Structures are given as C-alpha cells and as structure tokens.
Amino acid sequence: MMAGALAGCGGGTKQEAANEIKLGGNFELTGGVANYGKQAVNGIQLAIKEANASGGVLGKQIKLVLADNKSEAAEATNALTKLITQDKVVAVFGPATSSNTIATVQVSQDNKIPIITPTGTSEKITVDNGKTRPYAFRSCFIDPLQGTIMANFASNTLKVKTAVMYIDNSSDYSKGLAKSFETVFTQNGGTILGQEAFLQKDQDFKSTLTKIKALNPEVVFIPAYYEEVGKILKQAREMGMNMPFIGTDGWDDAKVVEIAGAASLNNTYFSSHFSSQDTDPNVVKFIAAYKKEYNQDPSVFSALGYDAGLLMIDAIKRANSTDPQKIRDAIEQTKDLQLSTGIVTIDANHNPIKSAVVIEMKDGKQVFKEKITPKQ
C-alpha cells in the first residue's frame, strides 16, 4: 500500500492535476515509531478512498502524497518542506509524534499551509507561549487531558495514594504528560514519591527500576511509547514489581505485547482515544470498513488517522475551495462534526473537544474499562 501510494506521487499531466486535490502526508514510515505512522496513514487512506468513491470533493479526486520522516525531527522538517515546495500540496497530515510535529510547525506557518496531526498530543503543537499557532491542528486530544484522566483513574478507581513517575527524558510528549499527572494527582491528595528518567532506545532499565522499587509506590506512571514501555514492564515484572503500572496512548500498539509478554502487562492500564470494544454505532461502522479494507482490526492510530482524514475533507467541502487559507479557516470553524471516535468541535487553541477511554490489559488483550466525556 505504501509503495503504491508513493509510486503514484510523481509527474502526471496538467489535466490530471486540474482534477486532483493534493494533500500531503508527513509520517514516520521507517524508524523507531514507524508503526504509528503506517497505521495513521492507513486510516487517512481509507477516509480518502471513501470520499473519492462517492464522487470526490469539489468535483475532484483527492491524492495523498506521502513523505517518510524516518521518525526523526530534522527529517520531518525536510519532509514538510518537500511536500509544500516540490509536491505543491494544499494541506498536510502528520507527523504522528509530538516531537516530530513540533519540529514542523514553523515551516507550516512560514508557508501558510495547514497541518493536522492525527496523534501528536503535546500542547506545544498548537500553542506557543500562550498564543495559538494559526496553521497547526490535531484530531486527537491533548496531553493534559490524558494526564488528568490517569491521575483521576489512579485516585478514584485504583484508590492509590502514592505514585512514582518514570519519564522519557527525550520526549516532549512524556514530559508534558508527567506535569499534568503530577498536578492532578497531588490535588487529589496523592503523593509523588519520586521521578526517574530514561531515554528512547535505552535497553536496560533495571538500575532505575531498582530505585523505584525501593520507594515502594502503589502505582507507577509511565507516559511513553510502546518500544520502551514493553521492555520496562518485562524487566519490572522480572524484578518482582507487581504493583499496577499506568500509562497513556503511546502504549496503544500490539507490539507492546510482543515486547513485554502478555503476563507482564496484567494489572496495567492506559488512556487512549478509541476502543474497538466501544459499542457506539460510529465506532462499529468504522471498524467494519477498516476490516474490509485491510483485513485487520484498526489501532487507535488508524482511527485517529481516519478522523484526521474526515476532518480535512469536511473542511475542504465547507471552504468550497482548495485555497490553503480557506481550508485553514474551515478547520478552525469545525463544530459538532461526527468522527469515528466521537463528535468533535475544534476549540480556540485548535484542539478537539472529545471523549477519551481507559483500557485495561488482561492476558495480552485490551479490555475497555471506562469512557470519559469532557464537559464543554
């Protein structure tokens, strides 16, 4: 699918170009978090395929031009520059991670091209020093909501009073989540006993896990990505650390089970944007369409990619134009739009107001635990 999409990106006649709306995809197709990028692209491709099959948008077919940012911030900036200056796209999806998206927002601003990240949750993507970035949007909720949800889950559902935070020091995503978790957990009367850190691509976590074990917390909060989370949980359980571990949407990938092993994931919980066990008719409809297209269940990244596709397509229709400025304005004005993961309104900071879920891992399987809808 990726090869086919990339192969179709070059050349073309002027007549073909006149009948197309070119959208860019700046994603992690190789590198450390390639799973996220590939799954988000699957969702976007499905939304575009459905729109094209029903007559296209403004009488034209949408064409997705993909660029691989190799899971690196510098490459993400280069990829966006290429999409805008060489491929002449009118709007862009991606990247998938917060750090890579933050690296690109100035390029989108300088070129006045709107971007929608399906899965970048850091506040800094859409707001800089209290000011909303005019061309940056997202289809996922932001980190403070996840941190708040998991702090309240720890206090109210797990009923714990002490926690340790284990943070990825190389990730804006991880640091932002830890900050919001700490604020709310302490407001709830809880105590943060300590904070330890690791870096992406680390392999051995036993030294810091030994320090955490000595603090004897009732819960450990790890706001990080599946690669490191899987290794941390495997090593923690081998060391006899049987307390609950909790996390965020970076855990939400099937590979975490391969890395950690099913047993190590028991008594763990994380926040996410979507659960395949949700009985909402819109979720059920999306899952059926995705399974038909890809012969597999969608991940949260696929669902958010699909939502980003629907959000962009709806904005282009309402703008009644392929002018990037008018598309930007229409995205900003989105209100009560039905997406696969819920009804979305874009707020003043270009973030969607939407529901979140808490998922429990049981014997390697995800189990829908709770759904939280924020007050509007």
Side-chain angles (χ1 to χ4, degrees), residues 5-328:
L6 288 163
C9 293
T13 66
K14 286 185 178 179
Q15 181 61 38
E16 286 172 338
N19 292 325
E20 290 176 347
I21 299 173
K22 272 189 174 183
L23 301 177
N26 177 5
F27 282 104
E28 297 80 344
L29 304 180
T30 58
V33 290
N35 252 26
Y36 294 160
K38 290 174 182 176
Q39 290 167 28
V41 168
N42 279 354
I44 293 165
Q45 293 275 34
L46 178 59
I48 289 173
K49 181 177 181 178
E50 290 175 350
N52 285 340
S54 61
V57 179
L58 310 183
K60 300 180 180 184
Q61 293 286 288
I62 297 173
K63 183 176 185 179
L64 183 65
V65 184
L66 289 173
D68 180 12
N69 63 41
K70 303 175 185 175
S71 300
E72 297 174 9
E75 290 291 343
T77 303
N78 294 337
L80 182 57
T81 301
K82 174 191 174 293
L83 288 167
I84 294 170
T85 60
Q86 295 181 34
D87 298 309
K88 308 294 185 186
V89 300
V90 298
V92 177
F93 299 105
T97 66
S98 291
S99 295
N100 291 341
T101 307
I102 290 167
T104 69
V105 289
Q106 191 60 48
V107 177
S108 72
Q109 169 71 31
D110 292 345
N111 289 276
K112 294 181 166 50
I113 296 290
I115 63 170
I116 299 177
T117 172
T119 50
T121 52
S122 169
E123 284 183 282
K124 294 179 182 178
I125 290 170
T126 56
V127 177
D128 179 31
N129 292 322
K131 187 177 179 182
T132 303
R133 299 183 194 266
Y135 291 87
F137 300 87
R138 72 181 102 221
S139 58
C140 55
F141 51 60
I142 59 174
D143 287 343
L145 179 63
Q146 291 199 83
T148 297
I149 285 167
M150 294 315 293
N152 285 332
F153 178 78
S155 300
N156 302 330
T157 302
L158 298 181
K159 301 190 183 305
V160 299
K161 295 290 186 185
T162 60
V164 166
M165 302 189 300
Y166 196 14
I167 299 165
D168 178 352
N169 243 355
S170 54
S171 166
D172 291 318
Y173 163 84
S174 192
K175 293 173 188 174
L177 282 161
K179 183 179 177 183
S180 57
F181 178 88
E182 181 174 18
T183 298
V184 177
F185 189 70
T186 53
Q187 283 173 356
N188 290 344
T191 302
I192 302 294
L193 298 176
Q195 176 177 311
E196 294 294 336
F198 61 90
L199 298 173
Q200 280 177 30
K201 302 189 188 317
D202 280 356
Q203 302 294 321
D204 188 347
F205 302 89
K206 289 175 183 171
S207 157
T208 43
L209 284 172
T210 299
K211 294 178 186 176
I212 293 170
K213 185 179 181 182
L215 292 170
N216 196 29
E218 292 176 277
V219 71
V220 179
F221 178 56
I222 313 177
Y225 298 126
Y226 65 88
E227 190 85 25
E228 288 75 30
V229 167
K231 292 169 186 171
I232 289 168
L233 290 172
K234 185 174 190 295
Q235 292 173 34
R237 298 311 194 202
E238 287 170 353
M239 293 168 61
M241 297 175 70
N242 299 318
M243 73 283 284
F245 282 74
I246 60 176
T248 48
D249 62 338
W251 291 35
D252 200 348
D253 191 282
K255 280 195 174 290
V256 77
V257 183
E258 293 178 27
I259 297 165
S264 297
L265 283 160
N266 286 337
N267 201 24
T268 69
Y269 309 83
F270 61 89
S271 56
S272 196
H273 312 252
F274 157 88
S275 169
S276 59
Q277 296 169 18
D278 193 334
T279 56
D280 182 302
N282 295 289
V283 175
V284 173
K285 181 183 175 186
F286 161 67
I287 292 170
Y290 191 92
K291 279 185 175 178
K292 184 179 178 183
E293 182 68 20
Y294 297 110
N295 197 32
Q296 59 182 265
D297 287 327
S299 72
V300 63
F301 288 85
S302 305
L304 290 171
Y306 183 75
D307 280 1
L310 295 181
L311 179 60
M312 184 80 80
I313 290 163
D314 174 73
I316 295 169
K317 286 178 180 175
R318 285 187 289 107
N320 196 31
S321 171
T322 57
D323 176 70
Q325 183 64 42
K326 290 181 179 176
I327 295 171
R328 188 218 77 88

Side-chain angles (χ1 to χ4, degrees), residues 334-337 343-347 351-354 376:
T334 301
K335 184 173 175 59
D336 296 332
L337 177 64
I343 296 171
V344 163
T345 293
I346 298 297
D347 70 14
N351 303 316
I353 302 167
K354 61 183 296 188
Q376 296 195 26

Side-chain angles (χ1 to χ4, degrees), residues 145 149 343 353-357 370-376:
L145 179 63
I149 285 167
I343 296 171
I353 302 167
K354 61 183 296 188
S355 301
V357 299
E370 298 178 13
K371 188 169 188 175
I372 300 99
T373 303
K375 295 176 181 177
Q376 296 195 26

